[in-house]
Amino acid sequence: MFLNLRLMLVSVLFLSLGSTSARGVASLDTLNDGRRNITDGQMLVSAGGSFTLGFFSPGELNRRYVGIWFSASMDAVVWVANRDSPLNDTAGVLEIDGAGRLFLLDGSGLTVWSSNTTTGGSGTPSSAAAQLLESGNLVVVRDDDESNGAVLWQSFDHPSNTLIAGMRLGRNPQTGAEWSLRSWRSPDNPATGDCRRAMNTRGLPDCVSWRGDAKKYRTGPWNGLWFSGVPEMASYSDMFTNQVVVRPDEVAYVFNATAAAPFSRLVLSEAGVIQRLAWDGGSRVWNVFAQAPRDVCDDYAKCSAFGLCNVNTAATLFCGCVQGYVPVSPAHWSMREAAA
Ligand SMILES: *[C@@H]1O[C@H](CO)[C@@H](O)[C@H](O)[C@H]1NC(C)=O
Ligand SMILES: *[C@@H]1O[C@H](CO)[C@@H](O)[C@H](O)[C@H]1NC(C)=O
Ligand SMILES: *[C@@H]1O[C@H](CO)[C@@H](O)[C@H](O)[C@H]1NC(C)=O
Ligand SMILES: *[C@@H]1O[C@H](CO)[C@@H](O)[C@H](O)[C@H]1NC(C)=O
């Protein structure tokens, strides 16, 4: 409790610093005129300390990526910038330009990755800042007198294999832009893998898993409270709330965490299984809170053929495109992770 209070005080301090200071002040969570770039080994840390952005190697040390992870658990990477174009050494630099574009450069100054920052129609900003928010979202905002604070780009709009509280899974019907999950290639390679998790927005919203072009599982349509094939979604509403937002510019599933909820993430594995993991700060492990496919009785026949069968799993949100595995308990599931 005392610790939490201190953390809160620290974040309040940072927040007030952020809002009262003029441009040009370097702070821990921001790239702006004060500090335009970070090099390998440097980091951005969100105001309350929950998330860190920096360079990392999930596997071989000569493949470097820029990503965001839970500070408490460096392995829990929630977003990767250059997933398909790793750096080969530690000479990389992440920088922001005045128009709010993020660039990841290799040692020779070549662009390995860049953000698709758009100016939103109100002219190119003369100054922009990138800030790692306490939610884990990296946002690029205007930092000049025109539309100060307008969001130009955000990492939440470009999910990797993970959904955290506040992120969307869905589609913008006006632009066709999609928020979907794409699995990693393997646990130590974040390159775009085979499995995709997206929302079908024709008719009633419905979440669908794909492996390549093959549809593998659907949750059934949203009934206002849960996806009809997944009634147990209602059973953990004390910790997480589930919502499907339907607006002209957005049809999306969003989950939110209550203030008392542990850190949580929904991860689409390389095999296409969706797991909801919750952080146990005491033992410093991620517990599998729920996973899908849920069991062979799931409605969608194709899912059953490749699905997990685990009638003891209390709650699952999504199903996936598992091939070759039929674990019957979370323990078996962990073994699969080890054997995979
Ligand atoms: C990064 O910023 C420093 C100053 O903070 C500057 O000296 C350096 O040239 C910058 N690096 C790149 C690649 O822009
Ligand atoms: C890393 O090395 C590979 C293989 O040598 C090469 O194809 C790739 O372009 C290099 N990447 C960078 C960012 O230099
Ligand atoms: C950036 O936008 C262009 C054009 O809209 C698109 O072709 C490209 O795939 C986008 N790149 C990324 C990384 O989103
Ligand atoms: C999510 O929950 C937090 C409190 O835990 C609340 O402040 C916030 O407004 C909620 N966001 C949405 C989109 O419901």
Side-chain angles (χ1 to χ4, degrees):
M1 187 58 188
F2 182 60
L3 255 175
N4 279 344
L5 228 122
R6 283 204 0 200
L7 219 63
M8 274 173 64
L9 275 176
V10 169
S11 50
V12 165
L13 247 164
F14 271 114
L15 282 176
S16 48
L17 261 178
S19 55
T20 55
S21 66
R23 262 177 271 147
V25 175
S27 71
L28 275 178
D29 64 354
T30 304
L31 291 181
N32 61 10
D33 290 349
R35 172 170 64 156
R36 299 220 68 93
N37 67 55
I38 54 170
T39 54
D40 200 312
Q42 298 181 321
M43 286 170 266
L44 299 182
V45 178
S46 64
S50 295
F51 289 91
T52 300
L53 177 151
F55 294 75
F56 72 103
S57 294
E60 291 163 46
L61 288 173
N62 62 356
R63 286 205 313 258
R64 303 291 286 167
Y65 300 89
V66 165
I68 297 171
W69 56 85
F70 285 93
S71 304
S73 169
M74 215 194 145
D75 292 343
V77 175
V78 300
W79 181 75
V80 185
N82 56 321
R83 66 187 300 182
D84 291 307
S85 48
L87 295 156
N88 292 327
D89 54 34
T90 55
V93 182
L94 178 71
E95 65 173 27
I96 186 169
D97 73 2
R101 283 175 304 223
L102 294 167
F103 291 98
L104 179 61
L105 308 175
D106 70 9
S108 59
L110 290 174
T111 301
V112 167
W113 172 87
S114 66
S115 65
N116 260 2
T117 303
T118 52
T119 54
S122 47
T124 304
S126 58
S127 177
Q131 186 178 23
L132 180 61
L133 301 182
E134 184 56 10
S135 62
N137 194 5
L138 178 67
V139 294
V140 174
V141 295
R142 277 189 89 120
D143 196 16
D144 56 12
D145 297 334
E146 303 278 323
S147 359
N148 195 19
V151 173
L152 305 175
W153 181 92
Q154 53 184 335
S155 61
F156 273 17
D157 282 344
H158 304 275
S160 295
N161 69 343
T162 300
L163 211 64
I164 53 177
M167 287 178 77
R168 293 164 167 68
L169 187 81
R171 177 182 281 277
N172 177 336
Q174 285 172 350
T175 64
E178 188 182 76
W179 301 281
S180 62
L181 300 180
R182 282 300 290 260
S183 62
W184 285 24
R185 180 108 7 112
S186 69
D188 63 4
N189 184 354
T192 305
D194 285 342
C195 292
R196 191 164 77 90
R197 180 85 204 159
M199 185 181 257
N200 180 2
T201 53
R202 291 204 190 100
L204 289 168
D206 183 357
C207 289
V208 184
S209 284
W210 304 79
R211 175 170 226 139
D213 292 331
K215 190 189 278 191
K216 288 303 184 187
Y217 174 80
R218 43 185 292 256
T219 53
W222 180 252
N223 69 6
L225 293 173
W226 55 77
F227 293 101
S228 55
V230 198
E232 63 272 38
M233 279 176 76
S235 70
Y236 44 78
S237 54
D238 53 330
M239 285 200 274
F240 309 110
T241 57
N242 296 291
Q243 204 185 350
V244 167
V245 179
V246 180
R247 297 200 312 226
D249 63 347
E250 175 182 346
V251 179
Y253 163 78
V254 191
F255 86 87
N256 198 4
T258 62
F263 288 136
S264 166
R265 54 193 173 119
L266 279 175
V267 181
L268 179 66
S269 79
E270 297 72 47
V273 176
I274 276 271
Q275 289 189 320
R276 184 187 285 278
L277 298 150
W279 178 245
D280 178 343
S283 343
R284 306 188 59 76
V285 292
W286 290 95
N287 291 322
V288 179
F289 196 79
Q291 75 182 39
R294 175 183 45 192
D295 61 50
V296 289
C297 307
D298 269 335
D299 289 344
Y300 201 66
K302 276 184 186 165
C303 176
S304 303
F306 302 104
L308 298 172
C309 181
N310 183 356
V311 290
N312 298 318
T313 300
T316 56
L317 257 189
F318 299 114
C319 186
C321 43
V322 188
Q323 271 182 305
Y325 296 110
V326 188
V328 293
S329 74
H332 286 81
W333 174 249
S334 335
M335 283 166 62
R336 186 211 76 86
E337 296 274 63

